[in-house]
Amino acid sequence: MERQPRRRRRPALSCLECRRRKIKCNRNEPCAHCVSAKLPCTYKVYSDEPAIRRQPSQDGLWGEASSSSARALSPLTQSHQLRANRPITQHNSQLSESQVPVSSSPSTTAVAGQNNTPNTLSSNNTQPSNHAQDIEPGLVNIMQRGLNPDKASAPTPINALCESGREILARRLGLKNSQIVLNKTRILGWSLRVGTAPEFAPIVACYVAAANTAKGTPPEDTELGTLYTQIWTLMQKCKCVAKSSKVGRPSRLLSAPDFDLAPPSRDVADAMATLYFQSFESTHRILHAPSFWKDYRRFWDHPERVTTDLRLKVLLVIGIGTSISEHIDQDTGLRNMAQQWIYAAQTWLSGPLEKDRLDVTGIQIYCLTILARQIFSIGGDLVWGSIGSLIHIGMQIGLHRDPKHIPGISVLKTEVRRRLWATILEMVAQASLDSAMPPRISFDDFDTEAPSNVNDDEMDESTTSLQPHPKGTYTSTSMQLILLDLLPIRLRILNLLNGLHSELSYLDALTLNSELTDQYRTCYSLIRENKQAGVTAFHRNLLDYLVRRFLIPLHTPFSGEARSNPLFYYSLKVSLDSAMSIIRPEPDEGFSRLMAVGGGMFREGVRYALAVITRELISQAEAQRSDGTLHRNNQYLQLLKEAVNEMLSLSIERIRKGETNVKGPMFLNMVVAQAEAIEAGTECELKVAQAAKNSLEQCYDMLRARVGTISSPCPTNTGLTPTSLDSSQGGFGLDLDLDWNTFFLPSASFA
C-alpha cells in the first residue's frame, strides 16, 4: 500500500526565508527580516503545495511565475479572512511597489480549511494609483493627503480589526513603503499625529489659503481674500515680535554669556525652595531633603565659599518653585531670573568635560535642569536628546548597577543613587512619548533595585541600617515607587508605538490599556487613602497626568477609526476620558499655574487632549446635525464646547505668561467657529477666517505688551564667569540650540 504524504495540520505562518533561517517572522508583507536582508518574501501555506515565487519584470511591475489558480495568500490574511480583495503572494523587499490585478476565483480567495465555503468577498481589480511621486516636503501636504484618504484602500469594519496601528496611520497620512514625516528637522511627534484628521479640513484650508496670499494667489471671494491677507499679515507681525523677544537670550550670546546668578531675597528663596519639595520632589526624587537644607543654609551663611555646583543647585530649586507660586504673577522679573539660571545651568553642563565632576551632584543638576527646561519651555521638546546623554553619564558613574555591588557605600548614598536612577527612567519614558522616539533603555541594561519606602528624615550620613515601611504605608518615596511599578507597562507601550519594526495591534492596545489602568487603580488607592499624610491635590494631579497621558497615543490609531468603524469605539472613549482628565484636573492653584507656563511633557499632554476633544466636538456637531438631534439632545455637545472654551482660556493665559506661538489660541478659536457654523447650518469658511483674524489681533496685542517686560541677561555675572565655565563640569549635553516651543501646531505643521 502506497504511503500517503504527511499533511500539515495547520498553516505555516512564517515566510519561507524565516522558516529556513529559523527566526521569528512578523508576518508582514514583506516581513521585516526579508526587508532588512533585501530578499524575496514568499509565503507557503501547506508543505504539500508549491511555493509561489514572483520576480520583478523589466517594467518594474510584478510578473506572475504561475497561474492564478496556484496563487497563495499570506497566512495572516487567511487566518483572519483579511484583504481578500487585493493580491498577496510574494513581496520583493528591494522594490517599492508590488501590486498586480488579481482575478476573483475560488482558488485565490478561499480561506485555508474552508475551501467548500463560497467566497463572499469580491476582489478589487482596480490597481490603486501610486502617489509616491506626488509627495512634497512639508507637513501641510501630508495633512492635506490625510484629509482625503484613498477610500478604496480602507478596509471593511471587521477586517480593520486586524490592521496594525502603523498601517492605519500610514493610510491616514497617505504614506507608503515605510515613509516618515519630518516636522521641521524632527520626526513627527504624537501630538501632531493625533491632530491630523479630516474634521479639521476647513481650518487647514483657511491656513493654506492665507499662506497662498503671500504668493499672490488670493481666492475669488473678495471678502475671504481680504481676511486671508489680514491673517497672513498678522501672523508675520506676531512672528516678528516673537523673534525680537528672543534676541537677548543667552543661547544666542554664547561667545561670552553673562548670567545674573544672584538669588532673590532670603524670604522669597525660602518659600520657593519649600514649594519645590512640596510639589515636584514627590514624583522626581532628585535631592535628599535634609542634606539639601544643610547645604542651603551654608549657601546663605557663607556665600564667599559657595561653589558653582552648589549655587546652580540652589538656584534651580528656587526657580522650579517659582513656577507654581503666586509670587511669580506679581513679580515678572523673578521669572526672567529663573530663565537665566536655567540657561546658566545648561551652559555649565555643556562646557568642557572635567572628569572629577562626573558625580552624583552633576547628575542632580542635570535632572533639575531638564525638569526646569520643561517647566519654563526652554528647549522642552528637545530633552529626549539631553536625556540620552544623561543616561550615558548615569551609567558611566554606575547608577545602572545596584549600590550593593559597591563595597563600603553608605545607606544614604545607596538610596540617593537608587532614587536618581528611578528619576532618570521616568524622564526617559516621558521624553520618549513626547518625541515619538524609542526609550533607548530596557530592563536588561540595569539591575538597580527600587528605592526603599522610607521618608527622608529617617536616614542621614550616620545611618548604618534601614528598615523600609510596608508598601501600603505612604512615605515621601511612595509616588516614585508607583511610577516605577508602572514603568514596565509604559515601556512596552513606548516600544510598540515608537519601535522601528514593532506592530501595534488593536488587541495589544486593549491589553496594555487594561493592564495599565488596573495596576494604576490599585496603586492610586494608596494615594487616595493617605490624604492626612501630606498628599495634596497637586500630587494627585501630577501623578494622574504622568500616567494617563500614555493612553491617548496608545489608542490614537484606532480612536480615529471609531467614527467610521464602531468596533473601535472603546478606543475613542478611553481617549476622551483621558483628555478630559488632563484638562479638568482636581482644582489646585499650583497645578493650574504649571499648566499655564509648562512646556515639554507638561504641554504635550495638553496637545493630546486638544486634538482629541476638538475633533470630537466637530464630529459630534456634524453627526447630530445630520440626524436631526442637534437641538433636542445637546448636553454632550455643550460639555465638549465647555471643555474647548476652557482650553482656549488656558492657551490665552499661556500667551500672557510668555508663550510666543499664537497658533494655539488661533486654532481653538477656529474650531469653535467651525462648530458654531455647523450648528447654524451655514458655510463655515467665512466664520473660521474671521475667528482666526480676531484671535491673531488679540495675541498680537498681548505679545507687544509683553516684549517690554523681557530683560536681557544682566552683566552682574555673579558666581559664573567664562573662566569658571572652562574649569567646570561639562559633557552632560550638547543641545544648546534652545528655543521656545509651540503650543499646539508648530510652524512646520502648515508650511
Side-chain angles (χ1 to χ4, degrees):
M1 183 176 180
E2 184 179 358
R3 183 177 180 180
Q4 296 292 332
R6 182 181 177 185
R7 184 182 182 88
R8 291 183 62 93
R9 294 189 177 183
R10 62 181 180 86
L13 300 181
S14 301
C15 71
L16 290 182
E17 186 63 24
C18 289
R19 287 163 60 189
R20 183 186 68 80
R21 299 169 63 188
K22 293 182 173 58
I23 57 178
K24 185 176 180 180
C25 181
N26 65 355
R27 306 170 193 172
N28 283 352
E29 303 160 357
C31 72
H33 292 297
C34 291
V35 170
S36 60
K38 297 183 179 180
L39 295 172
C41 187
T42 306
Y43 286 97
K44 180 179 176 183
V45 180
Y46 295 117
S47 59
D48 57 345
E49 293 180 359
I52 305 304
R53 177 175 295 273
R54 287 179 166 185
Q55 300 295 340
S57 59
Q58 294 181 354
D59 58 359
L61 297 177
W62 285 94
E64 298 185 78
S66 63
S67 64
S68 61
S69 60
R71 188 175 293 116
L73 297 174
S74 79
L76 185 60
T77 304
Q78 295 190 29
S79 60
H80 295 286
Q81 300 187 14
L82 290 178
R83 305 168 190 167
N85 61 331
R86 68 186 179 105
I88 305 173
T89 55
Q90 177 195 350
H91 297 259
N92 191 321
S93 56
Q94 302 179 49
L95 297 181
S96 59
E97 295 293 330
S98 57
Q99 293 179 321
V100 294
V102 176
S103 61
S104 177
S105 64
S107 60
T108 60
T109 57
V111 178
Q114 298 179 353
N115 292 336
N116 296 328
T117 304
N119 179 32
T120 58
L121 297 177
S122 60
S123 73
N124 185 358
N125 293 329
T126 304
Q127 183 175 355
S129 60
N130 181 7
H131 296 284
Q133 67 273 17
D134 299 329
I135 297 178
E136 299 176 359
L139 189 56
V140 172
N141 182 267
I142 294 297
M143 292 183 68
Q144 290 177 307
R145 288 163 60 85
L147 298 181
N148 299 285
D150 186 3
K151 301 298 183 181
S153 65
T156 61
I158 292 294
N159 292 349
L161 287 178
C162 290
E163 197 175 17
S164 70
R166 190 185 299 273
E167 292 170 336
I168 291 175
L169 287 175
R171 170 166 53 82
R172 192 183 302 166
L173 295 176
L175 303 178
K176 296 181 180 180
N177 307 316
S178 301
Q179 291 171 333
I180 61 173
V181 181
L182 291 180
N183 172 27
K184 295 183 179 177
T185 59
R186 300 189 294 273
I187 294 288
L188 185 70
W190 278 105
S191 58
L192 277 176
R193 300 185 196 188
V194 175
T196 54
E199 284 81 1
F200 301 136
I203 296 174
V204 175
C206 175
Y207 191 97
V208 172
N212 286 336
T213 60
K215 304 176 183 179
T217 56
E220 297 179 358
D221 190 314
T222 305
E223 185 176 5
L224 271 177
T226 302
L227 282 174
Y228 291 153
T229 302
Q230 293 173 339
I231 289 171
W232 189 252
T233 301
L234 284 168
M235 289 200 67
Q236 299 310 304
K237 288 183 177 180
C238 291
K239 192 172 184 179
C240 290
V241 174
K243 284 185 175 181
S244 66
S245 68
K246 303 175 185 179
V247 170
R249 290 183 178 175
S251 61
R252 314 205 173 184
L253 302 170
L254 288 180
S255 57
D258 290 329
F259 300 106
D260 182 9
L261 298 186
S265 65
R266 178 70 182 268
D267 293 340
V268 173
D270 290 350
M272 299 303 104
T274 301
L275 270 178
Y276 165 80
F277 279 96
Q278 292 175 348
S279 54
F280 297 100
E281 189 68 25
S282 60
T283 55
H284 296 74
R285 296 311 320 268
I286 300 173
L287 303 170
H288 177 243
S291 300
F292 173 81
W293 288 118
K294 181 179 177 180
D295 293 336
Y296 182 80
R297 288 188 292 270
R298 181 163 55 88
F299 172 82
W300 289 101
D301 295 342
H302 304 284
E304 70 282 355
R305 303 179 189 174
V306 173
T307 59
T308 300
D309 55 356
L310 176 57
R311 181 180 297 275
L312 290 175
K313 185 191 298 185
V314 171
L315 292 180
L316 286 172
V317 168
I318 295 172
I320 294 173
T322 63
S323 65
I324 60 175
S325 171
E326 60 182 5
H327 188 82
I328 200 172
D329 297 331
Q330 305 166 1
D331 184 6
T332 56
L334 185 58
R335 176 184 174 90
N336 296 332
M337 291 173 61
Q339 292 174 352
Q340 290 189 44
W341 302 337
I342 298 168
Y343 279 113
Q346 183 65 59
T347 305
W348 185 78
L349 292 169
S350 304
L353 178 65
E354 294 292 339
K355 291 183 289 187
D356 61 335
R357 296 191 179 182
L358 288 174
D359 55 11
V360 169
T361 299
I363 294 292
Q364 289 174 328
I365 294 176
Y366 205 140
C367 291
L368 288 170
T369 302
I370 288 179
L371 182 60
R373 281 175 52 187
Q374 296 187 86
I375 292 173
F376 288 94
S377 295
I378 300 178
D381 60 343
L382 304 177
V383 296
W384 183 78
S386 300
I387 290 175
S389 178
L390 174 61
I391 294 174
H392 297 157
I393 295 170
M395 287 184 166
Q396 197 167 12
I397 67 172
L399 292 184
H400 68 302
R401 300 304 309 274
D402 191 77
K404 67 185 179 184
H405 302 298
I406 304 177
I409 191 171
S410 67
V411 171
L412 177 60
K413 291 182 178 179
T414 295
E415 290 304 315
V416 169
R417 293 173 71 92
R418 287 173 176 171
R419 291 177 178 184
L420 276 175
W421 184 250
T423 297
I424 292 173
L425 293 178
E426 182 63 27
M427 288 182 167
V428 167
Q430 300 293 339
S432 175
L433 179 68
D434 294 335
S435 61
M437 291 284 103
R440 313 305 297 171
I441 195 74
S442 72
F443 286 91
D444 295 331
D445 297 329
F446 63 92
D447 61 2
T448 306
E449 297 178 1
S452 299
N453 190 31
V454 295
N455 292 302
D456 283 14
D457 55 7
E458 296 175 343
M459 57 181 180
D460 55 25
E461 292 85 349
S462 62
T463 303
T464 57
S465 63
L466 200 62
Q467 184 62 40
H469 295 281
K471 199 170 184 178
T473 302
Y474 182 81
T475 68
S476 58
T477 318
S478 293
M479 294 188 69
Q480 184 180 57
L481 293 175
I482 291 175
L483 291 171
L484 198 57
D485 287 341
L486 298 172
L487 183 65
I489 301 176
R490 290 183 292 160
L491 284 182
R492 286 163 55 197
I493 292 174
L494 291 172
N495 286 322
L496 282 173
L497 287 175
N498 304 334
L500 185 59
H501 298 297
S502 61
E503 292 292 342
L504 175 66
S505 69
Y506 191 44
L507 182 60
D508 292 331
L510 296 179
T511 302
L512 290 169
N513 176 88
S514 177
E515 292 180 10
L516 183 61
T517 53
D518 289 347
Q519 188 168 347
Y520 179 60
R521 191 179 296 114
T522 302
C523 296
Y524 193 78
S525 62
L526 172 66
I527 305 299
R528 186 174 56 251
E529 296 167 0
N530 286 273
K531 293 183 179 180
Q532 294 78 15
V535 181
T536 65
F538 185 95
H539 295 154
R540 293 188 291 271
N541 288 337
L542 183 57
L543 179 64
D544 201 59
Y545 180 85
L546 294 177
V547 174
R548 288 191 183 275
R549 72 194 201 97
F550 279 77
L551 295 175
I552 297 180
L554 175 64
H555 288 278
T556 290
F558 313 106
S559 62
E561 301 293 298
R563 294 164 179 85
S564 58
N565 187 351
L567 297 176
F568 291 116
Y569 175 76
Y570 182 74
S571 286
L572 177 60
K573 181 182 183 302
V574 171
S575 298
L576 285 169
D577 290 345
S578 302
M580 284 294 186
S581 70
I582 287 175
I583 68 167
R584 287 184 170 177
E586 187 176 346
D588 181 79
E589 291 185 3
F591 194 77
S592 298
R593 291 191 183 93
L594 176 62
M595 291 294 101
V597 301
M601 65 178 177
F602 299 109
R603 182 189 51 225
E604 285 298 313
V606 178
R607 284 183 176 182
Y608 303 155
L610 276 173
V612 171
I613 296 175
T614 52
R615 182 179 184 183
E616 177 67 7
L617 171 63
I618 297 174
S619 178
Q620 188 68 21
E622 291 176 342
Q624 291 193 219
R625 181 74 183 176
S626 300
D627 58 24
T629 61
L630 189 59
H631 302 291
R632 287 182 291 168
N633 183 20
N634 63 350
Q635 291 86 353
Y636 179 55
L637 197 61
Q638 291 301 320
L639 176 66
L640 293 172
K641 290 174 69 175
E642 291 174 4
V644 172
N645 285 323
E646 290 174 11
M647 290 187 290
L648 178 57
S649 300
L650 175 62
S651 66
I652 293 174
E653 183 65 17
R654 290 182 63 88
I655 297 291
R656 188 175 290 111
K657 291 291 181 64
E659 175 63 64
T660 58
N661 188 279
V662 298
K663 293 191 182 76
M666 182 185 73
F667 171 80
L668 288 169
N669 274 291
M670 295 167 81
V671 168
V672 172
Q674 183 180 347
E676 291 176 349
I678 294 173
E679 290 182 272
T682 60
E683 294 294 331
C684 63
E685 287 81 1
L686 187 61
K687 294 196 67 173
V688 167
Q690 186 65 51
K693 172 181 172 292
N694 295 339
S695 175
L696 289 173
E697 288 176 343
Q698 181 186 15
C699 293
Y700 179 61
D701 292 339
M702 288 190 293
L703 288 175
R704 290 182 61 190
R706 180 165 175 77
V707 165
T709 66
I710 300 177
S711 60
S712 297
C714 182
T716 306
N717 203 16
T718 304
L720 186 63
T721 65
T723 303
S724 66
L725 283 174
D726 292 338
S727 61
S728 63
Q729 168 157 308
F732 284 98
L734 299 175
D735 49 320
L736 293 179
D737 186 17
L738 307 180
D739 200 356
W740 291 62
N741 304 287
T742 58
F743 182 64
F744 181 69
L745 295 175
S747 318
S749 306
F750 294 110

